[in-house]
Amino acid sequence: QRARAVRIWAASGALAAAAGPALGGLLVESSWQWVFLVNVPVGILALTTGTRYVPADSRPTLARTLPDILGTAVLTTTIGSLSLTLVKGPDWGWTSKETMLALALTIVGALAFGARIARHPAPVIAPALLRVRSFAWSNAVGLLFSLAFGANLLAIILWMQQTWGYSALRTGLAVAPGPLMVPVFAAIAQRIAHRVSTGAITAAGSVLYGLASALLALRVGTTPHYASEMLPSSLLSGAGVGLALPTILAAATTDLPAAQAATGSAVVTMSRQIGTTLGVAALVAVLASASPADDGHAAFVQGWWIITSAALLSALAALGMTPRRSENASATAAVRTPPSTSVEGS
């Protein structure tokens, strides 16, 4: 039931993703400030609705250990410095002092974060969770897949607006068909989940997403041909997301105790956000490295091949994420932390 609920949740998010670009384009056509202001009423609605309908966890142990705020800050700084390295590397020079300092900060931050989660009673990521095979691999796959997803979404939007000259609204409408495929293929993934392993389903979705990006690299030209060049890739990528993303989210918590499901979902969502951030940063670095004499086409093609590679890497990693309860029995038992050190508060 938990896995099915997660798939439904992910499919609902895909419908929002389909409407989001079109709505965003409409808001930009009116005033770009509305793109930011619209989040205020949405946030208020989410807060009031969640407060009213989401049941509170009444376990008294949650208040005993504060979440690791410092560890969160260290992780945020580490991801930020890595993104800075990728984005500014082409401008600073990959061997410049600034780039080396940003890279050094990334390495130091990663080491500090590892030490922090090993010692804090309520770490951002409990080490015991990472010993659960399906959870650890799902996070790795989620990061790689989201890296490809974030970079590809930005590349498509930039290409249609900067190269094809589409307006913000037209771009939003052009992006919408892909996300509309997600609920369809999420339902297919749900129907075959009892016959096909989660790793195989996720790998298939990742391969489809990689093929979608490869199609863009091979076929898209500077003259707009949306129906023959962009639409097939959009539909294929939507199918890939529908197979992969809900399955990743469901598999991440399958072998976790019920008390740790919320924490597990939060961690895999964090991994996805980190992947998206790094994907956007990597694409920006690739586009910034383009030669001034280039019309930008070659840089975008290079970016799409990198996205294809990331998607195929996620497909390979997905083969290790299939939950194996017999292997995970001892690791799952270790996740059942004592009440005084519950990681649920993180």
Side-chain angles (χ1 to χ4, degrees), residues 19-167:
L23 177 60
L26 183 62
L27 292 174
V28 169
E29 292 290 326
S30 302
S31 174
W32 64 266
Q33 289 93 337
W34 276 108
V35 175
F36 300 96
L37 293 175
V38 73
N39 293 299
V40 176
V42 171
I44 293 174
L45 178 62
L47 180 61
T48 55
T49 304
T51 302
R52 181 173 181 179
Y53 293 105
V54 176
D57 196 324
S58 59
R59 288 173 294 175
T61 59
L62 295 179
R64 294 185 182 179
T65 305
L66 293 175
D68 186 9
I69 303 300
L70 179 58
T72 303
V74 171
L75 178 61
T76 302
T77 302
T78 302
I79 300 303
S81 61
L82 178 56
S83 300
L84 180 66
T85 302
L86 293 173
V87 171
K88 297 299 292 184
D91 295 332
W92 289 341
W94 293 109
T95 58
S96 68
K97 178 178 66 176
E98 293 84 358
T99 302
M100 291 296 102
L101 285 174
L103 184 59
L105 179 60
T106 301
I107 296 173
V108 172
L111 294 174
F113 181 72
R116 187 74 181 175
I117 65 173
R119 298 176 182 176
H120 198 277
V124 178
I125 305 174
L129 289 176
L130 299 178
R131 290 194 287 271
V132 179
R133 174 192 175 96
S134 56
F135 178 79
W137 279 101
S138 294
N139 275 273
V141 175
L143 190 149
L144 287 170
F145 187 84
S146 297
L147 190 154
F149 177 84
N152 194 46
L153 180 60
L154 178 61
I156 290 172
I157 291 174
L158 291 177
W159 180 264
M160 286 193 288
Q161 289 191 337
Q162 296 181 0
T163 305
W164 282 3
Y166 280 16
S167 66

Side-chain angles (χ1 to χ4, degrees), residues 5 10 14 24 47 82 86 92 137 176 214 239 278 296 302 306 313 318 325 327:
L47 180 61
L82 178 56
L86 293 173
W92 289 341
W137 279 101
L278 296 180
Q302 182 183 0
I306 292 174
L313 282 176
R325 293 188 179 275
E327 293 183 7

Side-chain angles (χ1 to χ4, degrees), residues 2-14 134-135 137-139 141-143 145-146 182 186 198 201-202 241-256 260-273 321 323:
R2 186 195 306 171
R4 183 179 183 183
V6 170
R7 285 190 171 93
I8 293 173
W9 166 64
S12 301
S134 56
F135 178 79
W137 279 101
S138 294
N139 275 273
V141 175
L143 190 149
F145 187 84
S146 297
V182 176
T198 55
I201 295 173
T202 304
V241 172
L243 290 176
L245 186 55
T247 307
I248 292 170
L249 296 174
T253 59
T254 296
D255 287 324
L256 298 182
Q260 301 298 331
T263 298
S265 296
V267 172
V268 74
T269 299
M270 179 187 71
S271 297
R272 289 177 49 230
Q273 297 301 326
M321 64 179 276

Side-chain angles (χ1 to χ4, degrees), residues 315-338:
L316 289 175
L319 299 179
M321 64 179 276
T322 300
R324 298 181 182 179
R325 293 188 179 275
S326 59
E327 293 183 7
N328 285 339
S330 59
T332 302
V335 177
R336 301 179 186 275
T337 54

